[in-house]
């Protein structure tokens, strides 16, 4: 892949992350201000939610007003609940990994790939192929000895450098933040579309990082083909996995790196989400008049 295309994918992933977090921050900020007003009676200027609520009450739309209050409460519950659920699941997965860790192999991988980087790798005794990066603050690259037996040396090198890209760029944390926002703000489907496309962009960049390290796409392409429908992942947990996202598209990018075909955000998700955001923006401008 040409350097220009790599830069394009970097800009795309940064743009998707910024767009997703920007939409989420704007929406959550309004809900927080609205909640402060409802709980403490704070008369905070430029509160879109409060203006919307007052307008509905003045027009006798009490049921809609109460519905808005329920929506705000449910959003906060989903936001906090999702975070607690992911923290608990991450803890359980890492605990199981440590219970079956091959400590000698983990130390060998640490010394080989990151001699001064502390503990990074978790090589676990498990027959099925596993390769993912997990952890929002204390990250680990988890590989199974089943994966080591399945792949040849070049393929394994490609997988390791792929996961190290996720590790170095804190991709599990970034993906978690986007996924958490999409889960809590379920009424904005564009966020789910952004999460999907963000994952694709990060996987393509991780593939390219592996290709740059090895100097050839053979290892990463062969590993992807071997792991199609064979990779096992922890259920319902945010992580950056080697063979989780859009394998067919990634293989296509390896075969034709300069192809102009790139996934686009679904128009349906934009058309549903845009009126909600436009309405909030209009109300915000109205409050400034």
């Amino acid at each position: 892949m040409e350097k220009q295309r790599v830069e394009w994918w970097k800009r795309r992933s940064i743009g998707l992350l910024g767009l997703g977090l920007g939409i989420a921050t704007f929406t959550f900020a309004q809900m927080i201000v609205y909640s402060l007003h409802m709980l403490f009676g704070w008369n905070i200027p430029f509160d879109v939610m409060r203006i919307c609520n007052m307008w509905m009450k003045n027009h006798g739309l009490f049921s809609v007003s109460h519905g808005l209050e329920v929506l705000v409460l449910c959003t906060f519950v989903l936001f906090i609940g999702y975070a607690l659920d992911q923290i608990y699941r991450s803890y359980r997965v890492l605990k199981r990994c440590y219970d079956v860790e091959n400590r000698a192999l983990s130390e060998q991988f640490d010394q080989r790939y990151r001699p001064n980087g502390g503990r990074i790798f978790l090589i676990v005794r498990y027959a099925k192929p596993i390769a993912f990066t997990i952890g929002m603050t204390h990250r680990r690259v988890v590989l199974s000895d089943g994966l080591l037996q399945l792949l040849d040396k070049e393929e394994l090198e490609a997988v390791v450098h792929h996961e190290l890209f996720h590790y170095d760029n804190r991709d599990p944390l970034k993906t978690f933040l986007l996924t958490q926002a999409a889960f809590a703000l379920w009424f904005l489907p564009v966020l789910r579309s952004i999460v999907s496309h963000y994952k694709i962009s990060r996987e393509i960049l991780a593939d390219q990082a592996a290709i740059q390290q090895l100097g050839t796409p053979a290892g990463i392409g062969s590993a992807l083909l071997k792991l199609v429908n064979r990779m096992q992942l922890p259920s319902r947990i945010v992580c950056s996995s080697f063979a989780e996202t859009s394998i067919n598209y990634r293989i296509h990018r390896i075969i034709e790196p300069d192809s102009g075909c790139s996934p686009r955000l679904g128009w349906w998700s934009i058309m549903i989400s845009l009126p909600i955001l436009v309405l909030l923006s209009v109300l915000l401008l109205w409050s400034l008049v």
Side-chain angles (χ1 to χ4, degrees):
M1 188 184 299
E2 294 181 358
K3 183 177 180 180
Q4 184 178 2
R5 292 297 296 174
V6 174
E7 292 299 322
W8 184 88
W9 280 104
K10 287 181 180 179
R11 291 194 299 271
R12 178 180 174 85
S13 68
I14 293 173
L16 288 169
L17 180 64
L19 178 62
L21 294 182
I23 293 173
T25 300
F26 174 79
T27 308
F28 278 123
Q30 292 301 319
M31 289 186 171
I32 290 172
V33 172
Y34 172 81
S35 300
L36 291 175
H37 172 76
M38 294 299 296
L39 291 173
F40 305 109
W42 291 5
N43 187 18
I44 304 174
F46 314 136
D47 179 357
V48 173
M49 290 290 185
R50 180 172 57 83
I51 294 173
C52 182
N53 192 32
M54 292 174 58
W55 181 85
M56 287 186 291
K57 286 184 176 181
N58 290 336
H59 288 76
L61 304 178
F62 290 103
S63 60
V64 178
S65 173
H66 294 319
L68 180 62
E69 295 172 4
V70 171
L71 176 63
V72 171
L73 177 61
C74 288
T75 299
F76 288 144
V77 170
L78 290 174
F79 183 84
I80 296 173
Y82 185 83
L84 295 176
D85 178 71
Q86 288 297 308
I87 292 172
Y88 173 72
R89 290 180 183 277
S90 296
Y91 168 78
R92 290 289 303 274
V93 169
L94 284 172
K95 185 178 184 301
R96 288 199 296 268
C97 289
Y98 281 119
D99 289 341
V100 295
E101 179 187 10
N102 186 329
R103 184 64 181 271
L105 270 180
S106 297
E107 291 177 353
Q108 288 180 19
F109 272 72
D110 284 332
Q111 286 298 318
R112 179 175 180 180
Y113 293 100
R114 294 296 170 85
N116 300 317
R119 292 205 63 188
I120 294 178
F121 289 93
L122 262 174
I123 312 301
V124 299
R125 298 182 180 91
Y126 193 68
K128 295 183 179 180
I130 289 177
F132 60 86
T133 304
I134 187 174
M136 289 169 277
T137 54
H138 297 87
R139 308 178 306 288
R140 292 290 185 271
V141 175
V142 181
L143 307 174
S144 67
D145 50 15
L147 178 80
L148 274 57
Q149 295 171 9
L150 177 65
L151 304 181
D152 63 29
K153 181 179 179 181
E154 186 177 39
E155 293 164 349
L156 181 59
E157 288 279 329
V159 172
V160 169
H161 287 297
H162 175 103
E163 293 303 328
L164 285 175
F165 175 88
H166 290 311
Y167 179 93
D168 292 336
N169 289 277
R170 297 185 177 272
D171 282 346
L173 174 60
K174 297 173 184 177
T175 304
F176 162 75
L177 293 175
L178 280 179
T179 307
Q180 181 187 31
F183 182 81
L185 301 174
W186 54 269
F187 48 89
L188 295 177
V190 70
L191 289 175
R192 292 194 293 274
S193 183
I194 288 173
V195 170
S196 176
H197 286 77
Y198 178 76
K199 288 181 178 180
I200 293 174
S201 67
R202 300 311 293 174
E203 293 302 321
I204 289 175
L205 288 171
D207 288 345
Q208 182 59 25
I211 293 172
Q212 289 177 344
Q213 286 290 332
L214 299 179
T216 172
I220 197 77
S222 178
L224 280 170
L225 289 173
K226 281 188 178 181
L227 294 172
V228 171
N229 298 325
R230 301 182 68 173
M231 181 74 76
Q232 185 166 339
L233 295 173
S235 61
R236 294 190 297 170
I237 189 171
V238 174
C239 61
S240 297
S241 172
F242 176 76
E244 175 189 17
T245 305
S246 301
I247 293 181
N248 291 335
Y249 182 78
R250 289 161 61 191
I251 293 174
H252 172 74
R253 298 298 307 185
I254 293 172
I255 296 173
E256 299 182 31
D258 298 324
S259 172
C261 179
S262 301
R264 299 181 181 277
L265 294 177
W267 281 105
W268 67 271
S269 65
I270 297 175
M271 295 303 294
I272 293 174
S273 303
L274 188 59
I276 299 175
L277 296 178
V278 169
L279 177 60
L280 291 177
S281 298
V282 170
L283 290 172
L284 177 60
L285 293 175
W286 177 38
S287 69
L288 296 174
V289 177

